[in-house]
Amino acid sequence: VELTQAALKVLPPSVLKPAYARPVAKAYVDKYICHMGVGGFHRSHQCVYTDDLLNAQGSGGVRWGFCGIGLMDWDRKMYDTLKKQDYLYTVLSRSSKTNEARVIGSIVDFVFAPDDHQHCIDRLADPSTCIVSLTVTEKGYCQNSEGDLDTENPFVRADLDGNLAKPKTAIGMIVAALRQRRAKGVPSFTVLSCDNLPENGDKAKHCAWISANTTFPNTMVDRITPMTEQEHKDILARDHLILDGWPVIAEDFMQWVVENDFCLGCPEWDKVGVLMVNDVRPYEFMKLRLLNGGHSALSYMSILCGYTYVDDAMANADIAAYIGRLFHEVVPTLMSVPGVSAPEYCDKLIERFSNPYIKDKLMRLAEDGSKKMQNTMRDAILELQKRGLSTKVLALANAAWIRYCVGKDENGDPLEIKDPMAAALTKLAEHALADVKNPDPTEFLRQVHGQDLAACAGFVGEVKGHLRSMMSIGSKATLQAVIE
Ligand code: NAD
């Protein structure tokens, strides 16, 4: 069955679907969250929580729904696909316990900005838009290494030079919409960043430069969401009889912690399991440093060892032990989190990484290392070094990344580097390994993690030692030596 609103009636009973009377689409929603970056993760996470809420609340209360915003030319495919399906799509949750297909209805509209920028600004400036949320990836914030707006970025330049008539960046679009709201006397919306950045709300605020009336709650978001592959569409068609142009595949775990700071209100997400708190940092530290840092560490070493999929790599006892050791090293830098035991959290992560039913790819985790490695590892390394605690495994993760950035594996076959800094990283990695007997990663580490870390002689020395070993006995043997 091709997925549309009308087709909901004829889907097999095994498929979960919206229990609310959705056909009226736009009119059904009272308040909008306009979301920039409608990819896999937004649709497996924020949309699911909001769909839970719409299901739970029936016809009463204030109804919130999403209007997708496509900013980039490449978002046209998502726009076309969702529009054809009345903005419905399927989430396929898979683990050893679950194989569930669920149609999500919380997106009720979509604006594709490149077709008409002013229409998009008008939509964001409309009084019914109370929240603008984002999952535009780490690089979508267009920050330089100091965390300021990167005015060298061509899209940022275009926004500044064009006076925001046709904003090309998420931040530019937000500023244009807030400017129009202010001119028309409409109060500001809340900006809700759901990207994996430490203090993501503060980062968005810093780049947007608007502090008087707008709020930027920090959030911690969690649900492993691989890229959609043809295989996932085939499973949906075979097991659940749904033909969906762009479903989402995800694990069965999900978590969302949000700072309670909304200038125009928010959905009652707390009723559907979202934790609304005053301070997100303890949760965010734990998740970013363990899950995201663990993912990055896992990706480069495992690709160098010849793996493609996350679960296959985790099935290798040495690699699983490496990730366990990495967690152990990082735990002393975490704040205590109410009701959460760090060892249990780590065990659960090992189980989640090992999930063989979602077929997450190591390449997805390896993307954009220049942002991810800094966001998830730098501060932990600096703190551990200062306290005289071990950074040996974190150093191995960085050595593997540097080795990877050369762009060739141990057989000399090409490795793809997907990163805005790809060319620079390869140059820096080649420089670091110019003398294989005496590698020098200092400049690489300075460029990606900053001077403070490059000045940590102990850590730089450890990375150097690991690199020397990798170049002489190979990645696998080096990994074994470190975990022994
Ligand atoms: P995706 O590739 O499916 O979607 C990314 C979206 O961001 C697309 O809509 C794309 O058009 C948009 N985008 C990319 N670059 C942009 C830019 N420069 N400006 C504006 N928009 C841009 O990826 P995803 O899996 O949805 O992940 C998106 C982000 O969500 C991640 O980078 C991460 O910060 C966060 N996240 C993802 C996961 C996960 O498991 N996938 C988990 C937690 C958090």
Side-chain angles (χ1 to χ4, degrees):
V1 184
E2 283 189 15
L3 185 59
T4 59
Q5 182 67 37
L8 287 181
K9 291 196 282 298
V10 295
L11 291 180
S14 64
V15 177
L16 302 173
K17 39 197 171 240
Y20 43 99
R22 187 176 175 280
V24 256
K26 284 187 203 176
Y28 188 75
V29 162
D30 305 311
K31 293 190 176 182
Y32 281 92
I33 307 169
C34 286
H35 185 85
M36 300 180 176
V38 181
F41 180 61
H42 170 60
R43 297 188 302 142
S44 78
H45 189 267
Q46 302 100 65
C47 288
V48 174
Y49 280 106
T50 308
D51 187 73
D52 277 340
L53 185 59
L54 287 165
N55 279 329
Q57 78 181 106
S59 56
V62 177
R63 285 176 303 244
W64 290 77
F66 285 100
C67 170
I69 304 284
L71 286 178
M72 314 308 278
D73 289 327
W74 62 73
D75 288 322
R76 184 183 292 280
K77 186 173 158 217
M78 182 62 81
Y79 169 66
D80 287 342
T81 306
L82 287 181
K83 195 163 175 219
K84 200 168 139 229
Q85 300 182 171
D86 300 322
Y87 311 113
L88 294 167
Y89 64 92
T90 323
V91 175
L92 184 61
S93 302
R94 302 194 85 211
S95 74
S96 56
K97 299 177 215 85
T98 318
N99 178 13
E100 174 198 277
R102 169 168 166 189
V103 176
I104 301 296
S106 51
I107 300 181
V108 294
D109 198 4
F110 201 116
V111 172
F112 179 61
D115 274 351
D116 184 348
H117 290 86
Q118 187 55 46
H119 173 58
C120 183
I121 297 173
D122 292 344
R123 195 71 183 71
L124 296 170
D126 191 274
S128 66
T129 299
C130 298
I131 298 174
V132 172
S133 55
L134 305 126
T135 50
V136 291
T137 78
E138 293 79 347
K139 59 188 177 300
Y141 292 79
C142 307
Q143 295 172 306
N144 59 25
S145 55
E146 264 79 66
D148 296 325
L149 193 62
D150 179 9
T151 49
E152 317 251 295
N153 177 311
F155 289 133
V156 173
R157 269 275 45 96
D159 280 1
L160 293 171
D161 295 345
N163 194 26
L164 296 177
K166 292 186 173 184
K168 296 216 179 314
T169 64
I171 299 297
M173 189 54 93
I174 288 171
V175 174
L178 287 174
R179 188 165 70 179
Q180 184 161 318
R181 286 176 89 106
R182 189 181 59 188
K184 296 201 169 161
V186 178
S188 174
F189 45 64
T190 301
V191 177
L192 186 67
S193 166
C194 298
D195 276 294
N196 284 327
L197 304 166
E199 294 162 344
N200 50 12
D202 299 342
K203 295 264 160 64
K205 176 176 178 173
H206 188 65
C207 287
W209 267 44
I210 292 165
S211 50
N213 305 297
T214 310
T215 58
F216 297 78
N218 292 304
T219 66
M220 182 276 256
V221 291
D222 193 4
R223 184 172 194 183
I224 296 175
T225 309
M227 297 246 291
T228 307
E229 311 273 351
Q230 182 58 41
E231 182 193 343
H232 304 131
K233 296 186 191 175
D234 296 344
I235 294 176
L236 260 190
R238 186 194 67 206
D239 294 354
H240 305 281
L241 310 182
I242 300 176
L243 296 178
D244 185 333
W246 204 334
V248 191
I249 170 87
E251 63 174 338
D252 55 353
F253 176 93
M254 64 176 186
Q255 194 180 18
W256 197 6
V257 186
V258 182
E259 229 163 55
N260 206 347
D261 183 20
F262 289 79
C263 54
L264 276 186
C266 70
E268 291 177 292
W269 281 317
D270 53 314
K271 292 195 168 155
V272 289
V274 179
L275 206 53
M276 307 296 288
V277 299
N278 291 326
D279 184 6
V280 164
R281 281 178 315 150
Y283 300 91
E284 171 202 288
F285 269 47
M286 186 169 76
K287 190 263 176 176
L288 280 182
R289 291 185 182 183
L290 293 175
L291 189 152
N292 297 99
H295 260 168
S296 293
L298 179 65
S299 67
Y300 305 115
M301 182 52 90
S302 304
I303 294 173
L304 289 171
C305 291
Y307 290 99
T308 302
Y309 292 100
V310 176
D311 61 299
D312 292 339
M314 288 297 290
N316 174 316
D318 291 340
I319 292 181
Y322 158 60
I323 296 305
R325 298 287 167 85
L326 182 96
F327 290 165
H328 191 72
E329 217 169 71
V330 170
V331 164
T333 72
L334 305 179
M335 299 174 178
S336 80
V337 180
V340 181
S341 118
E344 279 171 27
Y345 188 87
C346 294
D347 288 348
K348 180 75 185 164
L349 282 184
I350 299 275
E351 181 193 320
R352 292 170 63 197
F353 286 6
S354 307
N355 182 347
Y357 297 92
I358 55 174
K359 284 303 187 209
D360 203 6
K361 283 191 170 154
L362 292 159
M363 259 318 288
R364 180 182 81 84
L365 312 185
E367 257 177 59
D368 297 343
S370 59
K371 288 267 177 270
K372 292 179 181 170
M373 293 290 280
Q374 194 210 60
N375 283 335
T376 61
M377 290 186 197
R378 182 186 54 188
D379 294 349
I381 295 168
L382 286 172
E383 186 185 328
L384 290 168
Q385 281 278 319
K386 212 162 133 197
R387 290 167 58 188
L389 297 172
S390 168
T391 52
K392 191 167 84 172
V393 186
L394 284 158
L396 180 61
N398 277 271
W401 181 35
I402 294 173
R403 172 64 192 80
Y404 177 92
C405 284
V406 171
K408 287 195 188 92
D409 69 13
E410 288 175 5
N411 302 319
D413 291 328
L415 289 172
E416 192 186 5
I417 303 169
K418 286 193 187 170
D419 192 300
M421 277 181 70
L425 290 176
T426 299
K427 239 179 153 168
L428 287 161
E430 281 168 355
H431 174 76
L433 289 167
D435 177 354
V436 292
K437 293 216 171 62
N438 188 23
D440 184 4
T442 319
E443 195 50 33
F444 188 105
L445 294 170
R446 190 194 330 277
Q447 293 292 330
V448 295
H449 290 300
Q451 172 57 22
D452 288 355
L453 197 139
C456 276
F459 183 74
V460 176
E462 284 175 323
V463 176
K464 196 171 172 164
H466 293 320
L467 280 171
R468 193 187 302 119
S469 167
M470 291 173 84
M471 298 313 283
S472 103
I473 59 172
S475 303
K476 273 186 201 163
T478 302
L479 171 68
Q480 278 162 352
V482 171
I483 58 169
E484 251 161 33

